[in-house]
Every structure is written in C-alpha cells, then in structure tokens.
Amino acid sequence: MEVPAISNNFNLSNGDLDPSDTPPTMSIDKLFPALLECFGIILCGYIAGRANIITSTQAKGLGNFVSKFALPALLFKNMVLLDFGNVIWPFLWSILIAKVSVFFIVCVITLLVASPDTRFSKAGLFSIFATQSNDFALGYPIVEALYKNTHPEYLQYIYLVAPVSLMLLNPIGFAFCEIQKWRDQRDRQQSKLQIVGVVILQVLKNPMVFMVVIGIIFHFILDQKIPAFMEQFVDGLANSFGGAALFYLGLSMVGQLGKLTRSTVVALILLITAKLLVMPLICRETVELLDADNTSSSLEHSSLSNYAFLYGVFPSAPSVAIYAAHYNMELQVVTSGMVISTFLSAPIMYVSAWLLTIPWMDPKPLMDSLQNVSFNVSIISLVALAWTVTVMFLSKKFKRLPHMFTVNLFLAQILACVSMIMWNFVVRQDRFIGHVLTFTLLYGSLYSTYVWPGLIALSLVLMKRGGELKVAPGFLVIAGWGVPALVAAVLLVTGERMPDTIDSAFFYGRPQIICTSVVLAFSIVLGGCSLVGLRRGTWDSMYHVLERDSMLGTIEDLRLPTDPDTQTIPDIRDMFEPFFFFYGCPSILGKCDNPCFNLSPLRVPGRLYLELQFFCAVVNYGQGFISFGLFGLDKHLIILPFKKKISCLWHRRKPEEQPQLVVSDDIMMTCTQFIRYHKEQCVRDIVQQKRCGERTVADTFLGSELVEWLLQVGLSQDRGEALLYGIRLLQGGVLQHITQEYSFKDGNLHYWFGQGGFTSRPSL
C-alpha cells in the first residue's frame, strides 16, 4: 500500500511504514469504562460528603487510612515484585527531568510574581501541585485500561516515578514552606540548619517514602517474592486502596470551589495550565529528545512519547491539599485546582488516547473539520462579543481607563470572528485578491488580539494613582492596531503562499508560523513583565491597604451596593489577568509543537499536534466566551437586577416586602435555644467591626469564626455539624449574609445577627 503525499502542515506519516500493518500501541476499548469507574466512585464520594452522609471528621479518618495504610502497602508490594530488568531507564530519566523542569519553572515564576509576604509558601506548594500527580488512585486504572494488553510493562513506571518525586521534589517545596513559616515568626528562633532538619524529618516520617525504601530492600532480600504467610495481608491492604482513594477524593472536593475568590482565579488558571498543558508537552518532548537512540524501533519510541504525554495529563494528587492544610497556606487555590484539574483531565485523556489509536488520518477531511470548527466557534463567539460590547457601553465603562483599551480588544476579537466567517467562503473560491484581503483582515485582527492584553497590562503599570495615564492613550491605540498590521504586511510581502491548503494558520507556511510565534512571545513578555511590575511596584502598598481593611474577608464580599462606576485598579487587574493567560499561553504552546520546528528523525507528529490545533482554533476564535464571562455579566447591570427579578417572581410579591420566615420545628428549636442560651456569649466572642476602605460595616463576623466557636463551646462535634448548625440559624433568620447573596459557608464570608423573625411550620 502506497502512502499518498501529504502537505507539511498535517504530516501524519511515519516514513514508508504502511499504516494498515502497524499494530496498535494502546487499547482504547477499556478506557471509557475505566474513566466511568473512576469518576463514578469520585461522584459517589462527593455526593456522600455534600449530603453530609459522611462528615468531615469521618472523611479525615478515611484519608488517614488511605495515605498511611493502604497506599504504603501497595507501594511495598510493587517495590518487592518490580522487575528492574524491563525498565527503560532513559524513559524514566526523561520523565524525572520533565518533572524537575516544570517544578523549577513554576517555582521561579512564582518567586518573581508573587507578593513578598507569601512568595515562598506559594512557590513551594504551587511547584508541588504542578508536579505531583494522582498516579495510583486515578492514573494506574487509566494506564491499565490502555496498555495492559499491549505494553503491560508501562504500569511499573508509575511505581518508579511517584516515589522519586516524593523524595526529590517535595522536600524542596517543604523547605520553601518552612522558610515562609520561619519568616512569619516574629522571634525567629529556628536556625537554617533546624529548618533543613525539620524538612528531612518530615520526609522520613512519610509512610509512603518509608515503605518504598523498605520495599526496595526486601526486593533484593526476598528475590522478588512476598512470603506466603504475609502475602494475603499485604494484598488485602493494597487492594483496598483503589476504591477508598477515589471515594476519599470525592469527599475532599466538597465545598472547595465555593472558596474561590477573584484574586485566586489567576493563580488557579496558571496552575491548571502548567499541570494539564505544560507538563504533558514537556514530558513528551524530553522523551523525544533523550530516548531517541535507546529504543529498538520508531514505533516503540512513538509509543513511549505518547505514554509520557498521557502521564503528564494526570491531575494533581489530594495529598497536595493535605500539605496546604498542614502549613495553613494557599489552601483555597490548591483545593480548587485539584477539583478542576481532576475533571478537566478526563476529556483531555480520552481525546488524546482516541487520536493516538487512529492508525491513519486523511489530512483533507481533517483540515475541513478544523475549518468548520473555527467557523462555528466564530459565529457563537460573535454573539457573545456583541452582548459584551453592549454591556460595556450601557455601563459606561468604555469611557474610563483601562476599559477604553479593553473595548479595542473586543473590537479586534469581533473583526477576527467576522474575518474567519468570511474566510470560510472566500478560501474555497479561486480568487487571489479575495484571499489576500481576507487573510490580511483576519491575521491583522488576530495579531491585534494577541498584542492588546500585553498593552493593557502595560497601561495599568503606567497609570497613576488618580487613574491618569503617563502617556497619551493614542500611542497605545496606534501600537495595538499598527504593530499587528505591520506584521501582517511584512508576512504578505516576504511569505510564499502554500498550495492546496485552506487552513489559515498555514496559508503562508513557515514564515507565518514564525510571525505568529514572535507576536505571541512579545505579548507574553510584555504582559508578564508588566504584571511583575504591578505586583512588586508602587501598587503593592495599595493592595496591602485593601487587604488589611477587609480584615481577612474579600473586598467584594464586604462592599455594600454602591455606584458601579467606582471600580478600583485591583478589580481591573484581576479581570485582565485571565485574558492574558488564556490567550497567550495555550496558543504559543500550540505553535511551538509545530512539526516544522521539529528536527527529530524518529518523531511521528500529527495526532497530539492535531489536538493542539483544534484547541488553538477554539482559543483563537472563542475569545468572546472569555470576554463574556469576565465583562458580559456586569454585577450591577445584569446580575443583581436579574436576582431581584427572579426573587420577585418566586415569591410573587414586591421586592420591598420582607416575608416572615416559616421554618420547621427542629430549626425553630435550634434557633430558640441559640438565642436564649448562647447568642449573647457568641456576640461577645466573635462579633467585631469590620472595615473596607472608608466604609464601616458594624457587628459582623466570618462564617469560619462561627464554625470555630461552635466547636469550642461543644455545640458541634466537627466542622460538618457546625456548618449544618449555621445553616439552620440562617434559615431561621438568626443570622444573614451582609449583602444577602450567600448561604452560610465555612469560609471568609461576613455575616451579622438578625432579629430571628420566624414562625413554626403549621402541622399537617
């Protein structure tokens, strides 16, 4: 069978190898049942925790069993039985180098960007988050489903990589956390040598590390065989790990997303990008580079590199949240990131594995599909952008800086979507002038969407405290539109059109890819440096004042309904940063994985690259969805009026009316007992006056403070019961959120005590 010629933008061939004779390197038939099994058990655990069938105290006991008994037994068993003769050591070193690289990349970026007050704790925990995968509970069943019949030896790499990561990388993260703890102490009695000793002791006390060392020792003593008298005991503990660990993972997800605040969203986006996008790509590239000369065939080399990519997609382990809780640092970001990365990893793994099992793909229908995806996404994104621009004009934000520049970004996104819709019709016609004009408009506007986030970040740096810009706004407007137009013009003059292609991303071949990468890199460097300047420059003092005034609460939470025009620079910065990371990082990674830049002779490009191409198409032409999410749902213009309207329709009365609460007998009894015997003491213990800027909010307390108080006085046995107690008090009208936007939560939300105006539910 002769392989047909393929253009270089979708080069999916493997030399002269006949695709029909190529045996599959993985079996996808069992992947969906394995995913359903894993995430079904996780969902059961989540439901049990959400319904309070299992309280937080009981969940903690299950977590201790999983981490201190079941998992160490599993590691011991597999270390004893491991066959080191089948290990491809260059592959193992490649994965370890990839993990070390990602660890230090995240660590350095965090140290540069984070606030000086918390930089060390964030650097340690975020680096561990990006590199410690959920290998055993979630990763092992996936690998077993894919490779048990074709490459069963791949399963043992999980037991080799994970312990080395625990013993090599985690101690570095722990050291950063210990340094942060030492810096937070006023007396600082500990010496640096004591900090090193604490870290080493903590690693040695870890039961997983201990059992790995013991397992390796007994591997040689027992000659790869567990004695018969202890085999069933070890098997019983090891076999209990799978379901219990997944169930505990679901329990640990309860209530985590509710702790997110706007200030933590950016860090969350970065961490998830590093874990689910950067990590798998670096794993695959290191295997491509370091293992090229050590495998017997190109097919086996390709299988290992694909396995490395799938391994990198495994989400973060729940133990990272345990570390964050132990140090009481960055718990909200780590726990929320664990939840989101777990559920995002499932579709990424399934789509990647599905593409990798396809033996041959005709490039023409693939290019048609890519074009159709871009066309459909552009239409929907155009509608979202029209809504967003309308909201910006109705709220009159477009008159203020930097929203004036944000509107320019929206206009560039609109032009990109319109151009892609036009391109879908023009490219199929043999009209050179139409191709050139549409391409110029398309990539001039698309490059402008890359440049504007960096310029908006620069404008925030250049803005004075009064909101004035140190340079004329016209200079930034000219740069935002002029630089992309200039690059597009240079591309038209110097580039050479690729024949037989309808893909706009490769219309001018390699020069176009270079231009796109340069523009993206420029925007990322400009935006990144500007963000570092924002956090480390003169604005830091203002952020510290706002954080101090909020008294551990979110600024948005304490702010009572005011004029929507009074928006601070931190609010604008927090809304801008997701733009920068969503637009820049995924697109530049997709371009860097282009086969045109790859010089490896054994590489089999195409399938994972194709996945990135579809991903980049959605990111490029679906920017309107991000704009809509950040700016299209204006709180004062859309959300609050909508909530009031729904409330009026639900209660069928005017919003001014205050309905008398009708509650059940048990809620009434709880509220009556609390008011009669405990409220006065509770007010003295936890109620304080909180400040937010110049506004004073009197007699408030945090939800977490009430939970702690209920535990101290013995009204609740654990935090789950205390949360239910607080919900009953809120349902009975004894307490309420200061803006009445939230139910009672164990977090940094502010509440005050009401009058408790309730009546009992009439008996039936």
Side-chain angles (χ1 to χ4, degrees), residues 260-271 333 574 578 582 630:
L260 274 179
T261 60
R262 179 177 291 175
S263 60
T264 61
V265 169
V266 177
L268 194 59
I269 294 172
L270 274 174
L271 286 178
V333 177
D574 291 338
F582 265 122
L630 293 175

Side-chain angles (χ1 to χ4, degrees), residues 557 658 661 699-701 706 726 729-744 749-756:
D557 176 47
Q658 296 294 333
L661 294 175
D699 300 336
T700 66
F701 56 92
L706 179 59
L729 295 180
L730 186 137
Q731 292 174 344
V734 176
L735 59 87
Q736 61 183 9
H737 184 257
I738 61 170
T739 60
Q740 299 184 1
E741 297 181 15
Y742 299 95
S743 178
F744 182 77
L749 296 178
H750 288 76
Y751 301 86
W752 52 32
F753 284 113
Q755 300 300 322

Side-chain angles (χ1 to χ4, degrees), residues 7-28:
S7 59
N8 64 348
N9 54 334
F10 280 102
N11 185 14
L12 307 178
S13 64
N14 184 19
D16 297 327
L17 185 66
D18 190 345
S20 62
D21 298 333
T22 303
T25 58
M26 66 174 70
S27 175
I28 199 175

